[in-house]
Amino acid sequence: MKPGVRRLIEDLRGARVLVIHPRDAEGDALIDQLKRIGCNVRGVWPPPAAIPHDIDTVFQLIETSEEMIFPEGTSDHPLTFIAIVDYENPTILKRLLDSNAHGVVNKPIRSFGILSSLVLARSLRGYTRRLEGKVQKLEETLKARRDVDKAVKILMGLKQVGEVEAYELIRAQATQKRVAMADIAISIINAQETLGGLGVLDAPASR
């Protein structure tokens, strides 16, 4: 078994799972199988208003009711969501897409396939989180670059210097103060906006 797969399976032991499904034979069968896998499981029905903060994985029955709320995770409380589907029609399929599920379990629920669905869903959630982290870093980098470019133009106008010299002034200040160049750039932009508001400088251009 590859180390990555072994780690995914080992991570299931102690996983905190919430099963949102009527407490019938199928719901109990799902809970029992998850317990056999080693998960810490609890069942609830009807769907709760909010997911407990200690839960990291949710199995939820998708119904046609428009009042159903699918669980959403945050950056500090990521959730793996696995939808349970009873039958397939346009309404159910639309709600399945709207749920942004990481996996699907079809009814009638059987013990076979639960482990595979759980491993794949948690793997997909982890991959999605890594992509989200990369996108966030790229957005922060682009914003920082835009701020530095704007601060460079401000210094070029105030000090009557070239682009390279203005850039070096910002970098030198960042090095001296041991902060990022973007922090110095934001200080320059904010100072210009404040002085512009006081009428000391020309009003700054919009960002």
Side-chain angles (χ1 to χ4, degrees):
M1 185 183 298
K2 294 183 178 180
V5 176
R6 184 183 299 111
R7 186 181 65 183
L8 282 171
I9 294 177
E10 290 176 350
D11 285 346
L12 297 180
R13 299 188 182 96
R16 301 176 301 277
V17 183
L18 182 67
V19 174
I20 305 175
H21 188 283
R23 293 305 302 269
D24 53 19
E26 288 189 273
D28 290 342
L30 174 57
I31 291 174
D32 290 343
Q33 178 62 13
L34 290 169
K35 287 180 177 178
R36 282 193 289 269
I37 291 171
C39 302
N40 184 343
V41 191
R42 71 187 77 161
V44 62
W45 190 262
I51 302 300
H53 200 272
D54 62 330
I55 293 296
D56 58 50
T57 303
V58 175
F59 285 78
Q60 179 172 346
L61 175 64
I62 288 187
E63 295 187 316
T64 57
S65 172
E66 294 296 332
E67 297 179 357
M68 291 191 68
I69 299 176
F70 299 111
E72 293 185 1
T74 61
S75 58
D76 60 341
H77 182 206
L79 288 174
T80 299
F81 178 49
I82 302 173
I84 303 172
V85 178
D86 192 357
Y87 49 86
E88 297 172 341
N89 62 31
T91 301
I92 292 294
L93 292 177
K94 181 180 183 304
R95 292 186 65 74
L96 177 60
L97 292 173
D98 292 342
S99 73
N100 294 318
H102 302 104
V104 177
V105 170
N106 293 307
K107 298 187 70 171
I109 298 173
R110 297 290 183 267
S111 60
F112 179 78
I114 298 300
L115 175 60
S116 298
S117 297
L118 187 55
V119 169
L120 288 174
R122 287 169 68 93
S123 176
L124 177 59
R125 179 61 183 126
Y127 176 69
T128 302
R129 285 192 67 196
R130 291 192 294 274
L131 285 183
E132 290 170 348
K134 290 180 180 179
V135 170
Q136 183 178 355
K137 288 181 180 178
L138 285 174
E139 291 176 345
E140 291 171 353
T141 299
L142 288 174
K143 181 183 182 303
R145 185 62 199 176
R146 288 194 295 267
D147 288 338
V148 170
D149 288 343
K150 183 170 183 178
V152 165
K153 292 178 181 178
I154 292 172
L155 288 182
M156 288 173 64
L158 292 176
K159 297 182 69 66
Q160 298 299 307
V161 297
E163 181 177 350
V164 174
E165 186 175 350
Y167 182 87
E168 290 299 327
L169 286 171
I170 295 174
R171 186 168 68 173
Q173 275 291 301
T175 301
Q176 180 181 341
K177 296 181 180 297
R178 296 182 180 179
V179 297
M181 289 183 63
D183 294 335
I184 299 298
I186 291 173
S187 296
I188 293 171
I189 294 169
N190 289 340
Q192 191 212 28
E193 291 176 346
T194 300
L195 293 174
L198 293 173
V200 178
L201 297 174
D202 293 336
S206 60
R207 297 191 188 186

